[in-house]
Amino acid sequence: MPLHTHSAPMMVYVQDVRSGSLLNTRVPPDGTEIKTIFKPGEAFVEGANEPHYVDNVGKEPTIVWVTVASVEGMPTTEFINE
């Protein structure tokens, strides 16, 4: 999934059965890249308005479950044009 942000925090869980791993790359204002691999069964919180992109780094599709702490009508994902 290309570079994007979320208007509200998100709880992300990588499914622990029949799922690949997820590479989450955060891009802070200085332009560096902070890479973290989340394996099946792991979870993390994606902060609001933090630019990032994700890649499947497993041998099979990565399945994620996402919970959003937001309000009705607020967009969930905003893509960043590079």
Side-chain angles (χ1 to χ4, degrees):
M1 185 170 211
L3 190 63
H4 63 281
T5 61
H6 304 288
S7 300
M10 304 185 99
M11 176 68 167
V12 181
Y13 170 72
V14 181
Q15 183 170 292
D16 63 343
V17 177
R18 293 189 298 259
S19 179
S21 296
L22 182 75
L23 172 62
N24 183 40
T25 304
R26 291 180 289 132
V27 184
D30 67 5
T32 59
E33 293 188 341
I34 302 166
K35 297 178 179 286
T36 308
I37 294 177
F38 294 95
K39 297 177 182 175
E42 295 183 329
F44 63 98
V45 174
E46 190 65 66
N49 302 311
E50 294 182 349
H52 63 284
Y53 60 93
V54 295
D55 293 295
N56 175 10
V57 292
K59 293 183 179 183
E60 55 188 315
T62 299
I63 301 168
V64 295
W65 295 83
V66 179
T67 302
V68 181
S70 185
V71 296
E72 187 175 342
M74 180 183 284
T76 304
T77 303
E78 297 181 16
F79 292 98
I80 299 172
N81 295 324
E82 296 183 82

